[in-house]
Amino acid sequence: SSLKRTNASVKCLFPLQAAAGILCYIGAYVFITYDDYDHFFEDVYTFIPAVTIIGVGALLFIIGLIGCCATVRESCCGLTTFVVLLLLVFVTEVAVVVLGYVYRAKVEDEVNSSIKKVFDEYNGVNSNAQSRAIDYVQRQLQCCGIHNYSDWQYTHWYEESKNNSVPISCCKYNMGSCTGSLTHPEDLFQEGCEALVVKKLREIMMYVIWTALMFAAIQILGMLCACVVLYRRVRDPPYQPLFTDGTYA
């Protein structure tokens, strides 16, 4: 009976191991996606939620192993440590949710204050980080300029090129003959990039928030399982051999 209870508790902890792997994957995805847009916000603390998610995922994997070993052994000390560590991770994920909401509100101000500077530093050369970032965003989000394609007329690149055109990355995908010329605005993406970058970054931040909430719920399940095993361990004393008449029963 005790063995069955232990096996059931160990199976109950398996989702923690799976959650840890998924959490690391999601954290890495969010971090890499942020990296594509890092030129559009200057506050490095915006990366904290994504980095924290990766750290929590790695820590959760180790904690899950501790929990499985403690459950198999039905160790009071090990199970107590497991519950305390899970509780700390749970508090960390709550902090990630709070930070996510805080920085989600700041995204628009961050992008507004930095996007014009990035466009001004565009020179059309692939070795230039700002140029790569602008071209990537315009192709990925299908946008052109800050508010629309006409914004390019006020950039240093436009003034120096003097060819009355915008970067090729502004061209619509189905326009094979597009050269970026402003004389054919119908060939260009019509929407500006500023609003779309803000929308994308907010979506990523919400992704982090919902991920943290979902896995916090899984951790609560892990803590409940550990508490059940710990309660049974305290309630039912370990088996002791009975010694009667010179023999063990």
Side-chain angles (χ1 to χ4, degrees):
S1 177
S2 177
L3 181 59
K4 288 181 179 179
R5 290 198 304 264
T6 300
N7 287 339
S9 300
V10 171
K11 288 178 181 178
C12 191
L13 294 174
F14 283 163
L16 282 177
Q17 299 296 85
I22 296 171
L23 207 57
C24 287
Y25 172 80
I26 291 174
Y29 166 76
V30 170
F31 188 82
I32 291 169
T33 307
Y34 260 137
D35 192 48
D36 294 329
Y37 297 90
D38 65 346
H39 288 87
F40 298 99
F41 50 88
E42 298 175 350
D43 191 349
V44 294
Y45 295 107
T46 312
F47 281 103
I48 288 179
V51 175
T52 305
I53 283 290
I54 296 174
V56 166
L59 187 59
L60 195 58
F61 183 80
I62 297 170
I63 293 173
L65 291 176
I66 294 172
C68 287
C69 293
T71 303
V72 170
R73 293 175 176 270
E74 294 192 357
S75 165
C76 287
C77 180
L79 286 169
T80 304
T81 302
F82 173 68
V83 172
V84 170
L85 288 174
L86 266 188
L87 185 60
L88 290 174
V89 172
F90 177 79
V91 170
T92 302
E93 288 191 331
V94 171
V96 168
V97 172
V98 173
L99 283 173
Y101 273 109
V102 169
Y103 287 114
R104 186 173 181 271
K106 293 176 61 178
V107 161
E108 186 170 3
D109 291 337
E110 282 288 322
V111 173
N112 289 346
S113 64
S114 60
I115 194 167
K116 189 177 186 306
K117 178 183 176 183
V118 178
F119 270 82
D120 282 340
E121 293 176 355
Y122 182 91
N123 62 12
V125 180
N126 194 51
S127 59
N128 179 264
Q130 286 78 8
S131 298
R132 288 198 307 273
I134 291 292
D135 287 334
Y136 172 83
V137 166
Q138 290 191 149
R139 291 194 185 99
Q140 191 74 13
L141 301 182
Q142 298 183 27
C143 59
C144 185
I146 299 175
H147 302 103
N148 55 57
Y149 60 83
S150 65
D151 293 326
W152 278 104
Q153 298 177 81
Y154 309 104
T155 62
H156 297 306
W157 176 82
Y158 180 87
E159 293 172 358
E160 291 174 2
S161 61
K162 298 178 181 179
N163 58 5
N164 194 37
S165 66
V166 297
I168 299 296
S169 56
C170 279
C171 293
K172 294 178 180 178
Y173 293 134
N174 58 344
M175 299 295 178
S177 60
C178 176
T179 60
S181 174
L182 289 175
T183 56
H184 298 285
E186 66 279 2
D187 293 349
L188 309 174
F189 295 128
Q190 302 298 304
E191 207 167 347
C193 293
E194 183 179 59
L196 293 178
V197 169
V198 170
K199 181 183 176 182
K200 182 69 174 179
L201 292 175
R202 283 181 170 171
E203 285 176 358
I204 296 170
M205 195 63 74
M206 282 305 299
Y207 197 45
V208 171
I209 291 169
W210 281 110
T211 299
L213 286 173
M214 182 172 63
F215 287 107
I218 294 175
Q219 285 169 231
I220 292 175
L221 175 63
M223 283 189 284
L224 288 175
C225 289
C227 287
V228 168
V229 176
L230 189 58
Y231 170 74
R232 287 174 175 170
R233 179 70 178 82
V234 173
R235 187 191 63 181
D236 301 331
Y239 171 77
Q240 295 290 339
L242 182 61
F243 186 79
T244 58
D245 299 329
T247 59
Y248 285 101

